[in-house]
Amino acid sequence: MAMRQTPLTCSGHTRPVVDLAFSGITPYGYFLISACKDGKPMLRQGDTGDWIGTFLGHKGAVWGATLNKDATKAATAAADFTAKVWDAVSGDELMTLAHKHIVKTVDFTQDSNYLLTGGQDKLLRIYDLNKPEAEPKEISGHTSGIKKALWCSEDKQILSADDKTVRLWDHATMTEVKSLNFNMSVSSMEYIPEGEILVITYGRSIAFHSAVSLDPIKSFEAPATINSASLHPEKEFLVAGGEDFKLYKYDYNSGEELESYKGHFGPIHCVRFSPDGELYASGSEDGTLRLWQTVVGKTYGLWKCVLPEEDSGELAKPKIGFPETAEEEIEEIASENSDCIYPSAPDVKA
Amino acid sequence: MQTPVTIPVPVLRLPRGPDGFSRGFAPDGRRAPVRPEVPEIQECPIAQESPEFQEQRARAALRERYLRSLLAMVGHQVSFTLHEGVRVAAHFGATDLDVANFYVSQLQTPIGVQAEALLRCSDIISYTFKP
């Protein structure tokens, strides 16, 4: 009896989810942060999707969000021209870093001492989090708004992507080392430290480059425009999602399309594997995050594997029940769940 | 072409969403900082009182003051301001345990004097008296 993927829908956001990030694996498990145009980024337990808290404070759409390795700090980038650093345990705002334009991307170094930001002002900024009053170091050179900026090579280098270029910078000298040009808009970038791999998406392409030399390794074409892709920690699979609302899973070695899933009601903006590779999360224009199993049918988190032979009595029967319309049923239950009326404070729209 | 029959992977429950009234980060959550043990009262000098303890002491003091004010009102003429701009005067007698009703006598109303009456606390906006 083949098992069919049951995505777990995490509701709560009221507008499109544009970015998501996982923390590393901590003694308390791993965590997930989602950036949303409703200005209220949320922290969730990574393996179950359970909501933990909402970071309140931004006055505009939040375009980027990240967690540090041990999930003690969070950083967010918003349309209110600020990046904020938060205590991810208490939810309190620790720092507000003023910028001159919309901030799109934030990234912590491995030791959480520095925060990299980038945005529409085309500048990369490096903040020393131990000296929040000090002016950040600035790196200029981009000729269009920065969409993504990441630390790489053990924080000795910086990767940044704007509309048509990906650039590699040396942290110490603050100068450009190399750049890649694209004739299509770069939609996303992911950095895999183990193996120094860079995943870049543009158009329908999912491309893999060396993060050290920026030399191309390989690339795949998807059936539709891809907005985000993520490589499995063990580099066996990659997942991608985009404008056709579907998620695709490919074999990294052969490029063969293994699985594809419908489920979201809008374009997928971000997709990431969990740090243990057991699941991947997708964020969509439809305002939801969905968690998907890497190995369908495995018992993990909220998914409970049932062997067909045991399934004679109620013991094995899942609480949701499994007629053929399970997907729609789960959607209904999810929508009951999601009608928690979040107090609509009269906050300023972006 | 036959599609194989598949059953969806069962789930224990759906992910929990926001509670709708707080920002979360529950103090009893997994990663909540461990609260230090409250020290014994005898061992605790005044200077090291926790804010909660101080607050409770203030609440107790204010409550005692209020109860004493009610005692002081007994037998006195009290002027009550009620809803809709109504003002009445009466001799105060007592309140019940929850201060939900005021027992008064000689209540002066627009339609005459009531010998004994109960005023509902929820109808009273304020009252004043001279001790």
Side-chain angles (χ1 to χ4, degrees), chain A residues 2-4 6 28 45 48 50-55 71 88-92 302 304 318-319 324 326 333 337 340-341 343, chain B residues 4-27 29-34:
Chain A
M3 303 296 288
R4 191 155 36 108
T6 303
Y28 303 95
Q45 196 65 41
T48 57
D50 288 336
W51 174 78
I52 294 172
T54 303
F55 298 103
V89 179
S90 66
D92 294 334
L302 297 174
K304 179 118 176 91
K319 291 189 180 154
E324 278 305 294
I333 292 162
N337 228 2
C340 321
I341 311 297
Chain B
V5 178
T6 57
I7 49 169
V9 177
V11 288
L12 297 170
R13 57 170 174 81
L14 292 176
R16 290 186 205 111
D19 57 20
F21 54 82
S22 78
R23 66 166 192 170
F25 299 101
R30 274 198 215 186
R31 301 193 295 165
V34 175

